[in-house]
Amino acid sequence: MTDPLDESISCFLTRVNPWVLVPIAFIGLHALTFQGLHVLTFRGLHALALRGLHTLTFRGLHVLASRGLRALTFRGLHALSFRGLHVLAFRGLRALAFVGLHALTFKGLYVLTFRGLHILVFRGLHVLIFRGLHVLAFRGLHVLTFKGLHVLTFRGLHSLAFRGLYVLTFRGLYVLTFRGLHVLTFRGLHSLAFKGLHVLVFRGLHVLTFRGLHVLTFGGLHTPSPLEGYASSLSVGSIATP
C-alpha cells in the first residue's frame, strides 16, 4: 500500500469519500477538502469554498460570494452587490444603486435619482428635476420652471412668466405684461398701455392718450381735449338756434 503523501495530488484531483480529510502540501501549495469544504493556499493566494460560500484573497484583493451576495475589496476599492443592491466606494467616490434609486458622492458632488426625481449638489450649485419641475439654485440665483411657469430671482431681481403673463421687479422697478396690457412703475413713474390706451403719471404730470384723444395735466395746467372743444361747440350751437 502506497504512502498517502506520495499520491496526495492524485487523491485531491479524484472524487473521494466526503467523510475523508484530504490534505495536500506540494511546493508551497496547500489544499484541503473535507465534507464540502475546499481550501487552497499558494504564494499569497487563499481560496475557500463551503456550501455556496466562496472567498478569495490575493495581494490585497479580497473577494466574497455567498447566496447572491458579492463583495470585493482591492487597494481602496470596495464593491458590494446583494439582491438588487449595488454599492461602490473608491478614493472618496461613493455610489449606490437599489431598485431604481441611484446615489453618488464625490469631492463635494452629490447626485441622486429615483423614479423621475433627479437631485444634484456641487459647490453651492443645487439642481432638482421631478416630473416637469425644474429647480436651480446657485450663489443667489434661483430658477424654477413647471408646466409653463418660469420664475427667476437674482440679487433683488425677480421675474415670473406664466401663460402670457410676465412680471419683473428690480430695485423699485415693477413691470407687468398680460394679453396686451403693459404696466410699469419706477420711482414715482407710472405707465399703462392697453389696446390703444396710454396713461403716464410722473410727479404731478398726467398724460392720457386714447384713439386720437390727448389729455395732459401738470401743476394745475390742463390742456383741453378735442372732446371738450366739440362739447363747447355743441352748447353754443344749441343757444344760437331759435
Side-chain angles (χ1 to χ4, degrees):
M1 186 172 183
T2 59
D3 192 339
L5 291 178
D6 296 337
E7 300 178 355
S8 57
I9 299 298
S10 61
C11 290
F12 179 71
L13 296 177
T14 60
R15 187 174 181 178
V16 297
N17 191 318
W19 297 100
V20 176
L21 178 65
V22 183
I24 295 178
F26 180 72
I27 312 178
L29 170 66
H30 302 270
L32 182 145
T33 64
F34 179 66
Q35 295 184 3
L37 169 67
H38 304 272
V39 181
L40 183 144
T41 65
F42 180 66
R43 295 181 181 178
L45 170 66
H46 304 271
L48 180 147
L50 175 66
R51 295 179 182 176
L53 170 66
H54 303 270
T55 64
L56 182 146
T57 63
F58 180 65
R59 295 180 181 177
L61 170 66
H62 303 269
V63 181
L64 182 146
S66 174
R67 296 179 181 178
L69 170 65
R70 304 286 186 270
L72 180 148
T73 64
F74 181 65
R75 295 181 181 176
L77 170 66
H78 304 272
L80 181 146
S81 67
F82 180 66
R83 294 181 180 177
L85 170 65
H86 304 273
V87 181
L88 184 144
F90 181 65
R91 296 181 180 176
L93 170 67
R94 304 287 186 271
L96 181 146
F98 180 65
V99 189
L101 169 66
H102 302 269
L104 181 146
T105 66
F106 181 65
K107 294 182 179 179
L109 170 66
Y110 301 88
V111 181
L112 184 145
T113 65
F114 180 65
R115 294 180 180 177
L117 170 65
H118 305 271
I119 299 176
L120 182 146
V121 179
F122 181 65
R123 295 180 181 177
L125 170 66
H126 302 266
V127 179
L128 183 147
I129 301 173
F130 182 64
R131 295 180 181 178
L133 170 66
H134 302 264
V135 180
L136 182 146
F138 181 66
R139 296 180 180 176
L141 170 66
H142 302 269
V143 181
L144 181 149
T145 65
F146 181 66
K147 294 181 179 180
L149 170 66
H150 304 271
V151 180
L152 182 147
T153 64
F154 182 66
R155 295 180 181 177
L157 170 67
H158 303 271
S159 174
L160 182 147
F162 182 65
R163 295 180 181 178
L165 170 66
Y166 300 90
V167 180
L168 183 145
T169 65
F170 181 65
R171 295 180 182 178
L173 170 66
Y174 300 88
V175 180
L176 181 148
T177 65
F178 181 65
R179 294 180 180 178
L181 170 65
H182 304 272
V183 180
L184 182 147
T185 64
F186 181 65
R187 296 180 181 177
L189 170 66
H190 304 273
S191 174
L192 182 147
F194 181 65
K195 294 182 179 180
L197 171 65
H198 300 271
V199 180
L200 186 144
V201 179
F202 182 65
R203 296 180 182 178
L205 170 66
H206 301 266
V207 180
L208 182 148
T209 64
F210 182 65
R211 295 181 181 178
L213 169 66
H214 304 275
V215 179
L216 183 147
T217 62
F218 180 68
L221 174 64
H222 174 71
T223 58
S225 65
L227 289 180
E228 290 181 341
Y230 179 69
S232 61
S233 65
L234 287 178
S235 63
V236 172
S238 61
I239 295 173
T241 304

